[in-house]
Amino acid sequence: MPRSRPAIDSELAAALQAMPIGPNGVFDLTDIPATRQAVRALAESIASTIPDETTVTADEIQVPRAEGPDVPIVLLRPQNAPGPVPVLVWFHGGGQVLGFAAQDTPWLKPLSAALGCAIAAVDYRLAPETPAPGAAEDGYTAYRWIRDNAADLGLDPTRVGLAGQSGGGGIAAATALLIRDRGAEAPLFQLLMYPMLDDRNTTDSSREITDIGIWDRSTNILAWQAILGDRAGTEDVTPYSAASRATDLAGLPPTFIGVGELDVFRDENLDYAARLRAHGVPVELHLYPGAYHAFDLFAPQSHLAASFHHTLNDYLVRHFTKAPATPAAR
């Protein structure tokens, strides 16, 4: 007998009712160019309603590399924090096919001010124009540049963390694997908000979440097809394209994972957390009951969203104010 699905939290259900959900969900990946335009317009509309955090500066920087295009980043820096400040390398959401770095500035600026940290939002290349692992390569390039140029930027190279949301959480995880495997200095942590980790779509939650309308199974399959093409679901996928493909997770930085109970990514996130822990990586895991994908974005005034953001902000504070951890031996 199939299990009954838990009810959506009442505040989140009310927010869901107000969303413009079409036949292909909020994010229609059958027409990626049109949906990109809609996402940009929505982000700019939201930004225009939020008061600017004037104590935080925003600079657009082109990070150079010898082979391949420059990597754009938006560097947010608190003017009033005593330096050198810690820095969060941030990867925006959008299923690795939608979105842009500046979309998160309205809420990243207050975060920067509150924590006294810089935030480097990476404008990584999107699929299908750039298949995986192109986005993770962009993340690696940006991370190395931030560390190498930290002194000139007023940043602390010993306190650099990775963080990302949804598709960007998957890129943060893949970037952490590239950093480890190429022998670069380890980040202080990786903070993964309901990350997109597994292209195979074989978990229970992948099969269960089909009709909420935010990021359901069908949307996720289309996204992975854009990211990987014919490789999706085959053995021809590296961990730098889908982090769940990694079998050796030892030596990765301390990890935060937060995900909703009604998220298509729930079980791949729980599995990743369990395997990280089995490989000796410190893990902080939070599962939010009755919560769908990106619930904190769609219902930002809800109690669950407030709890989630308080928890992740506390994690950042604790890790930015302690000495760098030594990664577990591989």
Side-chain angles (χ1 to χ4, degrees):
M1 182 176 177
R3 293 175 296 176
S4 60
R5 195 166 77 188
I8 297 175
D9 172 84
S10 59
E11 289 181 300
L12 304 192
L16 192 65
Q17 291 297 316
M19 290 181 209
I21 300 176
N24 295 313
V26 172
F27 303 106
D28 184 356
L29 298 191
T30 65
D31 189 346
I32 289 175
T35 302
R36 284 178 182 166
Q37 288 184 333
V39 166
R40 183 173 289 271
L42 178 61
E44 291 172 350
S45 173
I46 292 171
S48 69
T49 68
I50 299 175
D52 187 30
E53 176 56 69
T54 57
T55 66
V56 175
T57 60
D59 295 298
E60 295 185 10
I61 298 171
Q62 298 291 326
V63 174
R65 66 176 146 199
E67 298 179 4
D70 293 351
V71 180
I73 63 172
V74 178
L75 183 62
L76 308 177
R77 282 180 290 194
Q79 295 174 292
N80 302 328
V85 297
V87 58
L88 190 67
V89 179
W90 172 258
F91 300 90
H92 67 81
Q96 304 182 32
V97 296
L98 307 170
F100 56 105
Q103 73 185 28
D104 296 323
T105 298
W107 74 273
L108 290 178
K109 270 191 166 185
L111 181 67
S112 170
L115 299 185
C117 73
I119 300 176
V122 183
D123 222 349
Y124 56 86
R125 291 168 294 171
L126 300 176
E129 294 85 349
T130 300
E137 290 287 356
D138 291 351
Y140 177 80
T141 297
Y143 173 81
R144 288 295 306 272
W145 187 87
I146 287 288
R147 289 194 71 114
D148 292 347
N149 294 275
D152 293 338
L153 297 168
L155 310 176
D156 184 348
T158 69
R159 292 187 293 161
V160 182
L162 301 176
Q165 191 171 44
S166 189
I171 295 166
T175 298
L177 288 162
L178 276 176
I179 292 166
R180 181 199 67 180
D181 294 348
R182 291 177 177 172
E185 291 291 328
L188 197 57
F189 57 82
Q190 56 177 346
L191 185 146
L192 310 177
M193 300 170 67
Y194 34 83
M196 180 184 192
L197 302 173
D198 196 340
D199 63 291
R200 291 167 290 194
N201 291 285
T202 56
T203 66
D204 287 345
S205 60
S206 175
R207 294 190 175 99
E208 289 168 10
I209 308 304
T210 60
D211 59 357
I212 292 176
I214 305 281
W215 195 268
D216 295 333
R217 176 180 176 84
S218 58
T219 306
N220 198 47
I221 289 172
L222 285 175
W224 279 113
Q225 288 172 346
I227 295 163
L228 295 171
D230 292 341
R231 292 178 291 154
T234 73
E235 293 308 305
D236 188 25
V237 177
T238 72
Y240 316 126
S241 297
S244 281
R245 296 300 194 112
T247 55
D248 178 8
L249 300 179
L252 288 171
T255 302
F256 174 104
I257 295 177
V259 65
E261 180 184 31
L262 298 175
D263 193 321
V264 74
F265 299 145
R266 179 194 69 214
D267 291 338
E268 64 197 62
N269 288 187
L270 297 180
D271 171 72
Y272 202 66
R275 292 194 295 119
L276 283 164
R277 192 66 213 99
H279 281 90
V281 176
V283 175
E284 183 168 325
L285 173 66
H286 297 271
L287 180 65
Y288 290 86
Y292 44 71
H293 186 67
F295 64 94
D296 59 310
L297 297 182
F298 291 106
Q301 305 306 317
S302 66
H303 285 83
L304 279 180
S307 175
F308 183 36
H309 281 269
H310 175 81
T311 299
L312 66 87
N313 288 4
D314 177 69
Y315 185 89
L316 292 170
V317 169
R318 284 186 283 116
H319 283 75
F320 275 148
T321 54
K322 71 181 184 182
T326 301
R330 296 189 67 192

